[in-house]
Amino acid sequence: MSRQPNEPATMVLILTPWATEQDMQQLFQRIEDKGLDRVVYRAQVRTHIHVLGDLSGESETQWSAQPGVEQVYGLPKPYPMANKTHRRAHTRIPVGSQQLGSEDFVVIAGPCALESEEQGLEAARMMKGLGIEIMRASCFKPRTSPYSFQGLGVEGLHILSRIREATGILVETEVMDVRDVEIASELVDVVRVGARNMQNFDLLKEMSRIRTPVIVKRGASNSIKEFLLAAEYILQGNENVILCERGIRTFETGYRNTLDVGCVAVLKQETHLPVIVDPSHAAGNKTLVPALSLAGVAAGADGLIVEVHPHPSVALCDGDQALHRFQFENLMRDVRGVAAVLGRRTLPPLSTGFATPGPEPALSVPA
Ligand code: PEP
Ligand code: MN
């Protein structure tokens, strides 16, 4: 179990070498006023004060701002549910025949957006044929321009549900509006909070009321702490949270976003939740997707979410970063290789007829 907010803990205040007797008396008074206990260790240079009791309401910045205090250690993390310190096991989330958060390495793949029933079906059959058990396809698209394709909306959710029925593939989609959370949770297998909504707190609260697994993506300008606090909102009621690193905004313009592989490593230390990497929105270009995917596997991610399209050249959204079928097959071969070195289990490939470069297959439906 995670730490309960009122569980006793110890905070250590390390005083500066020049802290005065008056500074110390003020600190003792503050500790007493808050109903906390203290044990004082006077070392040759620095004095340490151990503060004991219910520290759940204490703020590190307030204590470190007190006169005479140099450093503060040991306060409970502000995300007790997401933090792994007091949990014995990692959270495991079943996805098809695999479990995210176990030794299994899970790959979610599919088009950026659901564009039509035909496109979704074609993509689903392609993904299934390659041994992928869960397809991504967004019905609500957060587009920078109001003139860009906005997604099929609620109708898209029904289409995804029919595709699921017809093919047996599981489906994953983004939800942007609190009003769509409930219906999405009934019609799809995994819902997603997109990067732009990572701090849409009403949406996060709504996600805590469902039991469907939620992928929460890191906002392009959010710290790891803010990311974990977003997860904490959902964890208030829904323990099926999957964290997704998808690149952050930096000064670099050589790709779309800077994939923060360090974030993956930090998250694996800090939390028991599964962590996946989205190489596609970090890359912004299909040629960079393989390298970023493998970096994600090597950094310790539990899975990937990759954009793949049956006809990238006519995709209504993110065609530049969508892999062709043969590129995805080649990527999967390499992902399996790196994952195996790290002792991770991947699903075996199913069909391999298209793994060499070739022309994009002809459209089976008009664009
Ligand atoms: C997406 O995955 O479709 C998407 C919009 O990504 P992000 O929220 O990371 O920008
Ligand atoms: Mn996209």
Side-chain angles (χ1 to χ4, degrees):
M1 272 306 290
S2 54
R3 177 194 283 283
Q4 293 305 305
N6 57 0
E7 193 178 313
T10 309
M11 167 177 68
V12 181
L13 306 176
I14 299 182
L15 306 195
T16 59
W18 47 89
T20 62
E21 192 54 38
Q22 195 194 352
D23 292 339
M24 203 116 64
Q25 289 308 322
Q26 272 179 16
L27 284 169
F28 292 167
Q29 192 60 52
R30 188 174 154 89
I31 292 165
E32 204 179 311
D33 291 348
K34 287 173 172 283
L36 300 167
D37 294 322
R38 64 166 199 256
V39 181
V40 182
Y41 297 95
R42 288 176 198 267
Q44 223 169 15
V45 182
R46 283 176 174 79
T47 296
H48 294 191
I49 305 176
H50 287 220
V51 183
L52 311 160
D54 179 3
L55 300 169
S56 52
E58 300 307 315
S59 129
E60 194 172 309
T61 46
Q62 278 178 13
W63 281 99
S64 55
Q66 299 305 311
V69 176
E70 187 173 74
Q71 271 174 325
V72 179
Y73 287 109
L75 268 185
K77 293 281 164 64
Y79 35 83
M81 311 277 289
N83 184 17
K84 86 169 172 196
T85 316
H86 298 278
R87 251 184 94 109
R88 274 192 212 111
H90 283 236
T91 291
R92 292 175 173 216
I93 300 177
V95 179
S97 64
Q98 293 186 295
Q99 288 208 330
L100 250 177
S102 69
E103 303 80 45
D104 293 343
F105 189 84
V106 178
V107 179
I108 303 170
C112 179
L114 180 71
E115 301 167 15
S116 66
E117 187 143 1
E118 293 72 21
Q119 174 256 11
L121 262 175
E122 193 182 1
R125 292 196 176 115
M126 179 170 106
M127 299 328 307
K128 269 221 104 175
L130 296 172
I132 296 298
E133 294 186 331
I134 175 158
M135 177 175 80
R136 58 153 291 145
S138 299
C139 300
F140 304 97
K141 288 305 309 166
R143 304 306 297 272
T144 303
S145 164
Y147 306 114
S148 301
F149 176 60
Q150 302 287 311
L152 300 181
V154 174
E155 176 51 21
L157 298 175
H158 290 283
I159 293 174
L160 282 183
S161 170
R162 289 201 290 274
I163 290 173
R164 181 183 195 281
E165 194 73 16
T167 64
I169 203 159
L170 304 178
V171 286
E172 186 269 3
T173 204
E174 175 166 356
V175 179
M176 291 165 55
D177 191 311
V178 288
R179 291 168 295 188
D180 300 320
V181 171
E182 199 178 328
I183 181 147
S185 75
E186 285 161 10
L187 294 173
V188 305
D189 302 283
V190 176
V191 292
R192 178 183 352 122
V193 175
R196 290 156 194 78
N197 275 313
M198 193 208 85
Q199 287 193 313
N200 179 339
F201 300 111
D202 287 336
L203 185 63
L204 299 174
K205 284 178 192 166
E206 205 57 30
M207 292 289 182
S208 79
R209 299 198 178 99
I210 59 173
R211 295 294 168 269
T212 308
V214 181
I215 294 177
V216 54
K217 286 183 133 190
R218 180 181 181 186
S221 303
N222 286 112
S223 67
I224 296 174
K225 183 175 167 189
E226 288 164 343
F227 191 16
L228 285 165
L229 284 167
E232 194 77 8
Y233 268 93
I234 305 172
L235 288 168
Q236 299 303 307
N238 182 354
E239 60 188 12
N240 301 311
V241 178
I242 301 153
L243 299 166
C244 179
E245 160 61 34
R246 45 77 75 201
I248 51 175
R249 193 164 273 203
T250 67
F251 56 82
E252 185 52 68
T253 55
Y255 35 68
R256 190 171 175 183
N257 290 288
T258 301
L259 183 71
D260 184 4
V261 282
C263 166
V264 177
V266 170
L267 289 174
K268 292 305 294 178
Q269 277 181 3
E270 276 296 289
T271 177
H272 52 86
L273 297 171
V275 179
I276 63 172
V277 160
D278 173 352
S280 307
H281 292 87
N285 184 307
K286 54 174 74 65
T287 60
L288 301 174
V289 170
L292 300 189
S293 302
L294 299 180
V297 187
D302 299 298
L304 296 174
I305 178 166
V306 189
E307 288 188 345
V308 187
H309 196 289
H311 310 282
S313 63
V314 293
L316 295 184
C317 184
D318 285 348
D320 288 353
Q321 66 195 35
L323 298 183
H324 288 272
R325 175 190 172 121
F326 75 85
Q327 292 168 321
F328 181 65
E329 287 199 71
N330 287 334
L331 170 63
M332 284 303 293
R333 186 197 57 216
D334 293 344
V335 164
R336 286 188 191 100
V338 178
V341 169
L342 298 169
R344 310 297 299 255
R345 275 198 308 259
T346 45
L347 290 176
L350 287 187
S351 109
T352 51
F354 292 80
T356 46
E360 192 175 311
L363 275 178
S364 57
V365 289

